[in-house]
Structure formats: C-alpha cells, structure tokens
Amino acid sequence: MLEAIAGDVAAIAQFGTFLEMTQPEIFEAVQDDALLSASFWVNIALAGLSILLFVYMGRNVKDPRAQLIFVATLMVPLVSISSYTGLVSGLTISFLEMPAGHALAGEEVLTMWGRYLTWALSTPMILLALGLLAGSNVTDLFTILVADISMCVTGLAAALTVSSHGLRWFWYFISCMFFLVVLYVLLVKWPENAKANGTAEIFNTLKILTVAMWLGYPIFWALGAEGIAVLDVAITSWAYSGLDIVAKYIFAFLLLNWVANNESIVADMPTIGSGSAASGAAPADD
Ligand code: RET
C-alpha cells in the first residue's frame, strides 16, 4: 500500500517537471520575449498567405495525381499555422529542467516540443508530394514516410528526455539514423524515378532545396538550448522559423507553380503501386 502511494508521489513529481509553469505563465513568457514571439507570428502570417495563394493556384487543376500533390502540399502551411498557434499560445511549450551533464544542467529551459510533434505531420506531406512528383514506387514511398515520422518522433523524445543527458543524445543519434534513410531515398532512389518520368529538372531543384534546408534542423537542435546550448532559445527559434520559410512555403510555391503549369506531364506518369514505376518502363495506366 505504502509502496503504491510512494510510486504515485514519484510519478506526480516526475510529471511535475512538465507542469511546473501554467499555460498562461508560459504564454506570458513568450509574449515578453519579442524576438521569440516574432519568430512565431511571422510564420503564422506566412502560412496564412500561403494557404490562400495555393488554393488560388490550384483552382483549375483537374488531374487527380496533380490534385493529390496540391492537397499534400497545401497540408504543409495548414499544419504550420496550427503548429505556430500552439507555440504562440504556450500550449505546446514547456519549461524543462535539464539533467546533469547538460550545459544548462539544473536550469529550466524553454522547450518548443510542439515543433517536433507537428513535423511528424508536415514533413510526410512534403515527402509525399515529392514522391508523387518523382514517380516513386510504393516501397520507397512507405520507407521514406515511416523513416521520416520516426525521425520526428525520436527527435521529440530527445527534446523531452530529462532523466539522462546521455539518453537525450542517444535519441538524437537514433533520429539521425532515420534521417539518413530519408536522405538515401531522396538522393539516390527518387532521382532515378524522376529522370525516367520526365520530372528530373524540377525534382532536382526541390531535392537540393530540401536536403540543404533539412540538414539545418539537426544542426540547430545540437547548437541550441536543447543540445550544447551555444545559441539561445530565441535565436534557435528564428533559425527553425527561417528554415521553415524556405523548406515549406518557398518549396511549396515552386512545386505547385510547376505542377499547375505542367499538369499533363504529371497526369501521364505511372500510377503509384503499378509496380514498375522505379524502372520508368511502365506505360501510363490511368
Ligand atoms: C531533429 C533532432 C534530432 C535529429 C534530427 C532532427 C531532424 C529534423 C528535421 C526536421 C525537418 C523539419 C521540417 C519541417 C517542416 O515543417 C528532430 C531536429 C535528424 C530534418 C522540414
């Protein structure tokens, strides 16, 4: 009986690390830091404008595959506006006490865990759109999507682990391994498909943009307050927000602009799941 109570107390104490500050207090802390809150509001505004622009750009798109690229890509600013609303309201931010061994050990560090959570929704949409553009087969598409979601969820675990400094970095390492799988499909598998399907030029532009931007996220995680803490929270947040602007809105604009102007190329590509998309040898069957 006593053991059970002691267990409950320990569980509440552990949970307390996440709940020490109330949501209104976190909201106030964000508002008081003009640089930090600007890094959120700028993205809310850009995501809103992007949603309107992309809906307008897609108004005449008729082919189902091109429409699917539009829907997947439109999800990116839709997830983004929700993600940043979560951050700015304090809902998806916590102050976590860093474990021994961390540069800020014992201090309460503002952790924007909502970012990592919502990346698990937005990044698969980016990759789905790219896979459709390249003409991926089902295996590569499934592989990249599960690796990507796993990368985001293990990145979330790295940020939320406060029991051990070593385990924070172990989660980070696991996340990087998943990231390597994502990079492999993007850099090795899909360029072959895109070449066979006549979308190589736009695919390669978007591939370079994506790889260059995505590499920035683990670098800033490692340099920011969650990692070795050489960058403060507001600067790290701006770094993520800046990467987001290019990796999401500029990426999406380039992709959708191309699809809207080249709908027939997309329409003539082999259907995903036809089995031979990887070789590019299959005739269009839709
Ligand atoms: C983390 C930390 C752990 C190691 C790695 C990471 C990679 C994150 C990436 C995020 C991309 C986000 C995008 C969001 C758009 O909405 C989680 C930072 C590898 C690549 C493009």
Side-chain angles (χ1 to χ4, degrees):
M1 174 71 178
L2 273 179
E3 267 174 27
I5 294 171
D8 285 351
V9 170
I12 291 164
Q14 165 69 30
F15 203 47
T17 4
F18 293 93
L19 294 178
E20 259 161 29
M21 274 179 88
T22 63
Q23 200 182 105
E25 283 167 346
I26 297 175
F27 175 69
E28 227 168 89
V30 171
Q31 297 310 302
D32 288 348
D33 189 333
L35 196 61
L36 180 65
S37 77
S39 75
F40 300 151
W41 282 113
V42 163
N43 262 272
I44 291 180
L46 285 175
L49 288 174
S50 303
I51 293 165
L52 298 176
L53 177 66
F54 299 160
V55 168
Y56 177 76
M57 284 166 70
R59 69 198 181 287
N60 294 324
V61 173
K62 295 281 173 310
D63 172 67
R65 189 190 184 96
Q67 283 178 338
L68 183 53
I69 296 181
F70 259 86
V71 173
T73 311
L74 192 57
M75 279 305 290
V76 177
L78 284 169
V79 170
S80 192
I81 204 165
S82 317
S83 173
Y84 279 101
T85 304
L87 292 170
V88 89
S89 63
L91 175 68
T92 55
I93 288 180
S94 299
F95 279 85
L96 302 183
E97 191 181 317
M98 288 299 127
H102 190 278
L104 305 172
E107 285 178 41
E108 300 271 328
V109 168
L110 184 149
T111 302
M112 296 170 280
W113 55 267
R115 282 191 188 273
Y116 315 122
L117 186 71
T118 52
W119 288 348
L121 299 170
S122 59
T123 54
M125 296 299 147
I126 294 175
L127 295 174
L128 174 61
L130 275 176
L132 287 165
L133 178 73
S136 173
N137 63 30
V138 179
T139 308
D140 290 343
L141 191 59
F142 179 79
T143 306
I144 199 170
L145 292 182
V146 290
D148 173 63
I149 295 169
S150 306
M151 173 190 83
C152 297
V153 174
T154 49
L156 174 68
L160 289 182
T161 296
V162 288
S163 53
S164 149
H165 185 230
L167 285 175
R168 285 176 71 84
W169 285 106
F170 188 55
W171 278 123
Y172 181 89
F173 169 77
I174 297 174
S175 180
C176 287
M177 293 303 106
F178 284 121
F179 189 32
L180 286 182
V181 177
V182 171
L183 290 177
Y184 175 73
V185 176
L186 264 177
L187 291 170
V188 179
K189 305 289 284 192
W190 284 355
E192 292 168 12
N193 301 142
K195 200 168 163 203
N197 289 310
T199 53
E201 207 180 319
I202 179 69
F203 178 82
N204 284 333
T205 306
L206 295 174
K207 176 192 76 183
I208 293 166
L209 186 151
T210 299
V211 171
M213 291 303 113
W214 286 37
L215 281 171
Y217 291 84
I219 293 174
F220 284 112
W221 195 103
L223 296 178
E226 280 145 338
I228 60 172
V230 293
L231 299 179
D232 79 12
V233 168
I235 299 292
T236 313
S237 184
W238 262 110
Y240 286 141
S241 292
L243 290 172
D244 272 6
I245 290 170
V246 183
K248 298 202 272 206
Y249 318 124
I250 295 184
F251 164 92
F253 176 78
L254 293 173
L255 171 60
L256 296 181
N257 191 41
W258 188 88
V259 171
N261 292 322
N262 297 274
E263 202 180 334
S264 58
I265 300 182
V266 175
D268 288 342
M269 287 170 74
T271 309
I272 285 206
S274 62
S276 36
S279 68
D285 58 359
D286 55 352

